[in-house]
Amino acid sequence: MTDSVLSPRTSVLILVHGPNLNLLGERKPEIYGTTTLLDIEADVAAAANARGAAVLCFQSNHEGALIDFLHEQRKLASGIVINAGAYTHTSVALRDAIEAVNLPAVEVHISNTHAREGFRHVSLIAPECIGQVTGLGRAGYTTAVNLLLDHLQA
Ligand code: CA2
């Protein structure tokens, strides 16, 4: 077997990013820091690989594309780390997709959404997630991976 072939027992996590997060590191460093999306994807892959899991990354600015990705990966993936961006606060459809794929999900936000505008205090996806990591910046993603793998390996 080559290294690129997953063993049947390898957990595959999906890392999903919503709108505007492709621009991380380019603007608003006072809120989102200077980390790029590529940096975050590398952190998540390293944290998952260290525990024997693999990661598939996806970002889209389109609600339907995020939902399609969750549907397409539902049989391959064991769990979801998701920063849905502004769709967190608005998308019943994304919430329903997380429920529909029936995979454990951890919600991540780089900024502390509870310390910002009132409309960011509500997460429509939170009830479909096993937990939420918010306000820890880049470090929140590795925390989320470890929470998810602890849950999967329990
Ligand atoms: O703090 C987070 O991770 C958020 O999910 C980021 C979303 C925001 O709508 C959520 O309330 C909290 C916004 C992402 C916008 O990303 C930008 C990246 C570069 C420059 C400007 C915005």
Side-chain angles (χ1 to χ4, degrees):
M1 181 185 289
T2 68
D3 287 347
S4 62
V5 176
L6 299 176
S7 93
R9 287 184 300 159
T10 303
S11 290
V12 177
L13 308 184
I14 53 176
L15 174 64
V16 179
H17 280 97
N20 299 306
L21 289 158
N22 53 308
L23 298 183
L24 279 176
E26 286 188 26
R27 287 190 52 242
K28 300 262 182 200
E30 68 283 6
I31 300 176
Y32 301 118
T34 54
T35 304
T36 67
L37 184 58
L38 208 57
D39 294 330
I40 288 170
E41 290 176 345
D43 283 357
V44 166
N49 293 170
R51 293 184 60 171
V55 178
L56 194 57
C57 302
F58 183 74
Q59 186 277 331
S60 180
N61 296 320
H62 304 278
E63 190 176 20
L66 295 164
I67 293 166
D68 285 345
F69 180 76
L70 293 173
H71 290 183
E72 285 158 12
Q73 301 305 328
R74 71 187 186 280
K75 292 187 179 150
L76 172 79
S78 301
I80 306 166
V81 174
I82 183 164
N83 183 345
Y87 287 144
T88 303
H89 319 298
T90 64
S91 179
V92 175
L94 188 58
R95 171 200 176 126
D96 287 349
I98 295 169
E99 180 185 25
V101 298
N102 199 27
L103 292 169
V106 177
E107 173 183 0
V108 182
H109 298 288
I110 296 164
S111 63
N112 180 358
T113 49
H114 300 289
R116 298 182 65 191
E117 303 95 322
F119 64 84
R120 296 187 204 274
H121 298 183
V122 174
S123 167
L124 298 186
I125 69 170
E128 302 304 332
C129 295
I130 60 170
Q132 184 188 60
V133 182
T134 185
L136 298 186
R138 176 179 186 167
Y141 286 89
T142 46
T143 303
V145 167
N146 284 311
L147 287 168
L148 188 54
L149 290 174
D150 288 350
H151 176 87
L152 289 167
Q153 291 167 3

